[in-house]
Amino acid sequence: MSDRTPHLNRLLIFIIIIFLNAFKLYQLSNNKYENAYQNSIRDYLTQLYNRRYFYLALTKKMQRVSVQKPLSILLCDIDHFKRINDKYGHFQGDLVIQYVAWVLQDQVRRDDIVARTGGEEFALLLPDVGQQQAQLIAERIRQALGYKPTFVTR
């Protein structure tokens, strides 16, 4: 064994440690970037996409629309939402918004885009969905929201 072997082994270990540390720093940086990006495109209350992301996705998907690749958009809001906030308070109103967001997300495909576009307004972007299928989806959502869970007590 030569006198240089222990030095080369230490150097190799040192290089491996530097590489692993650099990789760990990359992972941390990438995670921070991903968190920041998600925060910029998501609504803080519902974790649905926000209006900005919805319109960016709509613009992108509109370029691919054809007879063979339809695109449907559903717009909805919560009727009489101001009355809910006035009568039960904003905390209960937030629970209603979160419930509606959950139902909307639950009733569509994984790749569909559900966004909160305003206070109590939502938009759904449904690629490859024609008018008749969109109407069925809208009716399914309406029925799912027709079930009224109790959030508040009088």
Side-chain angles (χ1 to χ4, degrees):
M1 201 186 244
S2 93
D3 292 334
R4 297 179 65 188
T5 303
H7 296 296
L8 289 175
N9 286 342
R10 278 190 236 130
L11 179 61
L12 183 59
I13 291 171
F14 181 71
I15 290 171
I16 291 171
I17 290 170
I18 288 175
F19 175 76
L20 291 175
N21 283 337
F23 183 70
K24 186 65 175 175
L25 287 173
Y26 167 77
Q27 284 181 316
L28 290 171
S29 175
N30 193 50
N31 287 344
K32 286 180 182 181
Y33 171 80
E34 183 60 31
N35 286 340
Y37 175 69
Q38 287 299 317
N39 287 337
S40 75
I41 65 170
R42 298 278 181 178
D43 172 65
Y44 73 96
L45 180 63
T46 63
Q47 292 306 301
L48 295 178
Y49 290 110
N50 60 25
R51 177 196 325 225
R52 179 177 168 268
Y53 182 85
F54 179 82
Y55 286 117
L56 289 172
L58 174 61
T59 301
K60 190 175 182 181
K61 292 188 183 295
M62 286 292 291
Q63 296 170 0
R64 295 185 223 134
V65 172
S66 68
V67 173
Q68 295 81 21
K69 292 192 76 61
L71 177 66
S72 292
I73 301 170
L74 300 179
L75 303 174
C76 56
D77 70 351
I78 302 172
D79 291 339
H80 314 294
F81 185 71
K82 184 176 177 341
R83 282 194 236 163
I84 294 169
N85 273 344
D86 291 347
K87 186 170 184 176
Y88 300 107
H90 290 278
F91 179 76
Q92 296 298 330
D94 285 352
L95 291 177
V96 171
I97 288 172
Q98 289 172 329
Y99 175 73
V100 170
W102 178 82
V103 169
L104 293 174
Q105 193 68 65
D106 187 57
Q107 294 297 317
V108 297
R109 301 168 299 182
R110 186 173 183 224
D111 293 333
D112 294 335
I113 294 173
V114 181
R116 182 176 174 208
T117 56
E120 78 280 4
E121 299 161 347
F122 301 88
L124 293 81
L125 195 56
L126 309 171
D128 301 319
V129 172
Q131 180 180 352
Q132 288 181 329
Q133 192 178 0
Q135 288 174 330
L136 292 173
I137 293 168
E139 179 58 24
R140 187 175 69 221
I141 290 169
R142 189 192 67 74
Q143 288 179 1
L145 289 171
Y147 165 74
K148 297 177 182 116
T150 304
F151 288 110
V152 293
T153 57
R154 293 178 190 225

